[in-house]
Amino acid sequence: MTSLQSWMSGRWAVPGIAGLLILASFTAERALGQQFWGEVLMLAAAAVAGTPVLIKAWRALTAKVIGIDLLVSVAVIGAVLIQNYWEAAAVTFLFAVGHALEDATLTRTRSALAELIAVAPDVAVVLRDGQQVEVAAHEVVTGETVLVKNGAKVPVDGIVIGGTGALDEASITGESIPVEKLEGDKVFAGTISTGGFLQVRATGVGADTTLARIIHRVEEAQDARARTQAFMDRFSAWYTPAIIVLAVVLGLITRDVVLALTLLVIACPGALVISIPVSIVAGIGRGAKDGILIKGGEFLETSARIDAVALDKTGTITQGRPRLTDVVALDADLDEDEVLRLAARAEAGSEHPLARPVVEAASERGMRQLGLPEHTEPVPGKGIVAVLEGRRVAVGNLALIDLERAGHEALREQAEAVVADLATRGRTPMVVAVDGRPVGVVAVADTIRPDAPEMVRRLHAAGVKKVVMLTGDVEQVARAVGETVGIDEVRAGLLPEDKLEAVADLQRQGWTVAMVGDGVNDAPALATADIGVAMGAAGTGVAIETADIALMRDDLLTLPRAISLARRTVRTMRQNIAIALVTVATLMLGVVFGGVTMAIGMLVHEASVLVVILNAMRLLRKRQEAAVEGGVGSSTGSGAEAVAEPGAEPGAPSAGADRAAVRERGEGVQVG
């Protein structure tokens, strides 16, 4: 296709040809004195620019829809019949320019989607029968080994099974800093290698990749209609017939056909119609660039009204990776290392999430593991009892020590005091007993994310009045976390169904609630909330599909950024509506009281469309955020700690497992 053919099929062909014909008409009539040919060329310009409008109006009428195109069509036909060819050409030309601008703007605001599609990989290098074979990305078979070399795009979702490297994951998470990848790490299609060599086992191919799901979600979201937009559609259905009737009545009263036709033209609410979709598409596009996937305009509007945010604790406010924080020896014959060694050996035979930080801490201190226990006996709701070299070693809550029927009252009281103190300071304490005799206490805690306090501060700055933490942890521990982070309200000891009821209770109090969770175990609460937000959703297909908003980057500060974006988008929509209404009202008054011609009215009308478009496009600019005073998380000091919801395995927090762990470990974590 030649450049001329390409231009002729483009959005600017109709207004361009019509504009040239209008210039030719002026030249023929005023420079050459050819009035006849001037009128012919002007009529031709009206025909070129008006034909697409007439076609749209006719199609709308056959579908029993009276739209804005009908207003312009009636006005133009009337102008031609009274031989006002200049007005007819000017109106259709300006209307065509307006449509081209709208189309160009929507294309521009959909740039995030275009960029996502552009990063989709085309080819992949796979190992087949020991040979490197280049195939189309969609032809890779799940389970095959894919090779990712420096500078190449990752063609599939997968797991690194060999090699090391760094990947630019901006297309998925919005984070521009390359991420180091080692064996066992996840990689996503569309990310780009900035160094190293990776062997990846494919787990998601083609439409099953995270990138494909993101593209699908953004595409759907930008086409979805907001409540305000749906209202505008209903408004237009009544507005257009009303204007036609008004124009007819005005024409009959004044006996002025030109006045009636002018009213039809300037009453076109084009700026009003474009004001909503262009703002929504721009807002959703900006969010997609920042790793914020918003399901559609309705959810964008609802997000702007959020005044209460409910947060899960583990994996959201905290890291979701419990670690050993304290070892206290109660027996004078044993030191802290010996207490830890006993606890680690007993826990070595346990699959409980809290066993891992104890075992890992012992390994980090260079303690030699002497093998698995001779016998392991989990005690539901209490802890674990193991046999080590003929001795019964119990690790768990005080109820487990009672179960052992120990008679060491002094050590028992000392253990109670230590457990109470550790729990107050936000630890999860576990008593270590040998043959029923308490010899020490070990405690684990989950580190608060360094940016959690700043997230809460920014939520408040964004207009959120209440930040609530919902957790399965005990009151003492939950409040320790809440006070450190700046949470307004803490609700502790909750099962997943209790979290749902907590969200419903907030709604009954009149709050518009956003629930932030992992998109799976918090599903009941996420579904009940006005807006469900999945945190760190990269690679989690369920979260991307089910959440109203999916934050692709595991970054707490993205949450207030999303709410601020929603508020800015709705504010822009309202500004655009006001601009459009004021313009139409002013022009209508100008027509009634004289002074506004059809061409002038259309020119002002299209100028208002341009203003609305430019106002909406401001949303596409990346907003500069104020620097955090003292650095992100400065209020946490040297790493504030709080107990994990005990069910949270590193990297995979689970509300259901949280409750099970709470029941098992008892004192310091026992709920109700």
Side-chain angles (χ1 to χ4, degrees):
M1 182 180 289
T2 65
S3 57
L4 178 60
Q5 289 174 321
S6 177
W7 183 84
M8 288 294 293
S9 61
R11 66 174 68 93
W12 292 104
V14 169
I17 294 171
L20 290 174
L21 287 171
I22 290 173
L23 288 175
S25 172
F26 282 137
T27 302
E29 186 172 347
R30 298 183 182 181
L32 304 177
Q34 299 290 325
Q35 183 177 354
F36 172 77
W37 286 110
E39 291 180 349
V40 169
L41 289 170
M42 196 66 76
L43 187 59
V48 169
T51 300
V53 182
L54 288 169
I55 292 172
K56 288 181 182 178
W58 175 251
R59 288 175 178 172
L61 276 176
T62 57
K64 298 181 180 180
V65 175
I66 300 177
I68 294 168
D69 292 310
L70 183 62
L71 290 180
V72 176
S73 299
V74 172
V76 169
I77 292 172
V80 171
L81 291 177
I82 62 175
Q83 298 183 347
N84 197 336
Y85 303 132
W86 155 242
E87 298 286 2
V91 167
T92 52
F93 168 69
L94 289 169
F95 199 66
V97 169
H99 271 297
L101 280 173
E102 291 171 19
D103 184 56
T105 304
L106 288 174
T107 300
R108 172 73 179 87
T109 56
R110 291 178 187 271
S111 59
L113 181 60
E115 289 173 11
L116 286 172
I117 293 172
V119 301
D122 298 320
V123 297
V125 178
V126 298
L127 278 180
R128 291 180 178 173
D129 299 325
Q131 301 294 317
Q132 295 186 25
V133 181
E134 187 174 289
V135 299
H138 67 272
E139 292 179 356
V140 177
V141 178
T142 302
E144 280 193 307
T145 299
V146 177
L147 305 181
V148 181
K149 302 174 182 179
N150 183 23
K153 290 180 182 178
V154 179
V156 297
D157 283 3
I159 304 293
V160 177
I161 59 175
T164 60
L167 297 180
D168 179 352
E169 296 185 337
S171 58
I172 302 296
T173 66
E175 178 58 61
S176 59
I177 300 175
V179 180
E180 292 292 331
K181 296 294 180 180
L182 305 172
E183 188 172 337
D185 289 342
K186 289 183 179 180
V187 299
F188 308 113
T191 56
I192 302 172
S193 173
T194 58
F197 176 77
L198 297 172
Q199 299 176 48
V200 176
R201 184 179 73 251
T203 58
V205 178
D208 292 329
T209 64
T210 298
L211 178 64
R213 287 192 292 268
I214 293 173
I215 291 173
H216 177 66
R217 174 58 63 218
V218 174
E219 192 172 35
E220 282 189 338
Q222 291 187 332
D223 289 334
R225 291 173 177 257
R227 281 195 292 263
T228 305
Q229 188 176 352
F231 168 77
M232 284 300 171
D233 290 341
R234 293 193 299 272
F235 170 79
S236 295
W238 288 97
Y239 178 83
T240 301
I243 290 298
I244 293 176
V245 171
L246 180 62
V248 170
V249 171
L250 185 64
L252 292 173
I253 293 174
T254 63
R255 304 286 185 177
D256 189 340
V257 177
V258 174
L259 181 64
L261 294 176
T262 302
L263 180 65
L264 283 178
V265 170
I266 62 91
C268 294
L272 189 61
V273 172
I274 193 65
S275 63
I276 308 301
V278 73
S279 300
I280 288 173
V281 171
I284 289 175
R286 177 69 264 170
K289 287 185 176 182
D290 293 336
I292 303 168
L293 295 189
I294 303 171
K295 186 176 283 187
E298 178 182 351
F299 304 102
L300 191 67
E301 280 191 283
T302 304
S303 297
R305 301 198 309 272
I306 290 171
D307 52 11
V309 173
L311 302 164
D312 186 27
K313 180 168 74 67
T314 302
T316 302
I317 296 175
T318 64
Q319 300 280 9
R321 296 178 180 272
R323 64 183 182 84
L324 186 76
T325 57
D326 300 89
V327 180
V328 180
L330 302 176
D331 191 328
D333 296 333
L334 298 177
D335 60 14
E336 291 182 1
D337 283 351
E338 187 59 29
V339 171
L340 178 58
R341 186 194 303 275
L342 287 168
R345 287 203 61 195
E347 294 282 19
S350 172
E351 295 182 354
H352 194 279
L354 292 185
R356 182 176 298 177
V358 175
V359 175
E360 288 178 348
S363 177
E364 289 171 2
R365 294 192 186 187
M367 297 180 184
R368 294 188 340 185
Q369 297 300 317
L370 303 177
L372 294 173
E374 298 160 25
H375 175 71
T376 300
E377 179 187 347
V379 183
K382 305 291 191 301
I384 191 170
V385 177
V387 177
L388 302 174
E389 300 172 1
R391 295 184 298 174
R392 287 175 63 84
V393 177
V395 182
N397 57 27
L398 288 169
L400 179 64
I401 309 306
D402 288 339
L403 187 66
E404 292 286 292
R405 294 193 174 92
H408 307 280
E409 295 302 326
L411 287 174
R412 175 69 160 75
E413 291 177 3
Q414 190 177 351
E416 286 179 348
V418 172
V419 164
D421 176 63
L422 290 171
T424 302
R425 291 190 285 125
R427 271 66 162 165
T428 301
M430 295 173 284
V431 180
V432 181
V434 178
D435 293 330
R437 183 171 183 266
V439 297
V441 179
V442 294
V444 298
D446 190 1
T447 305
I448 292 174
R449 290 179 181 238
D451 51 359
E454 177 62 14
M455 172 199 66
V456 174
R457 188 190 70 77
R458 289 194 186 183
L459 282 174
H460 287 145
V464 175
K465 296 180 176 63
K466 176 178 283 193
V467 181
V468 184
M469 185 173 72
L470 307 179
T471 176
D473 226 332
V474 291
E475 191 80 16
Q476 273 184 319
V477 172
R479 292 207 173 279
V481 176
E483 289 173 6
T484 302
V485 176
I487 300 291
D488 300 310
E489 181 180 333
V490 174
R491 300 193 183 194
L494 304 180
L495 289 167
E497 55 266 32
D498 298 327
K499 293 181 180 180
L500 181 154
E501 178 55 34
V503 169
D505 181 55
L506 289 169
Q507 291 173 320
R508 285 192 293 270
Q509 294 176 29
W511 299 99
T512 301
V513 183
M515 173 67 194
V516 184
D518 60 15
V520 181
N521 289 302
D522 291 320
L526 287 168
T528 302
D530 297 283
I531 292 293
V533 182
M535 194 80 186
T540 308
V542 173
I544 295 174
E545 295 300 325
T546 60
D548 301 322
I549 297 178
L551 306 180
M552 306 308 296
R553 194 187 310 170
D554 195 17
D555 176 4
L556 292 180
L557 301 184
T558 310
L559 178 59
R561 195 176 299 133
I563 294 175
S564 294
L565 174 63
R567 294 187 192 278
R568 284 167 49 214
T569 302
V570 170
R571 186 163 58 247
T572 300
M573 286 166 49
R574 290 171 179 166
Q575 291 169 352
N576 285 347
I577 291 171
I579 291 169
L581 290 176
V582 168
T583 301
V584 170
T586 303
L587 286 174
M588 289 180 71
L589 289 173
V591 170
V592 173
F593 293 104
V596 175
T597 65
M598 192 183 295
I600 291 175
M602 201 60 182
L603 181 61
V604 174
H605 170 267
E606 293 304 331
S608 71
V609 170
L610 184 59
V611 170
V612 162
I613 287 172
L614 292 174
N615 190 41
M617 290 186 71
R618 292 188 302 117
L619 292 167
L620 293 174
R621 295 183 307 189
K622 188 172 181 65
R623 195 174 187 184
Q624 295 299 320
E625 295 176 302
V628 181
E629 294 181 11
V632 173
S634 60
S635 60
T636 61
S638 57
E641 295 169 343
V643 69
E645 286 184 90
E649 297 213 19
S654 165
D658 289 352
R659 181 65 175 185
V662 165
R663 286 176 171 167
E664 286 185 18
R665 293 302 174 163
E667 195 73 42
V669 277
Q670 186 66 40
V671 179

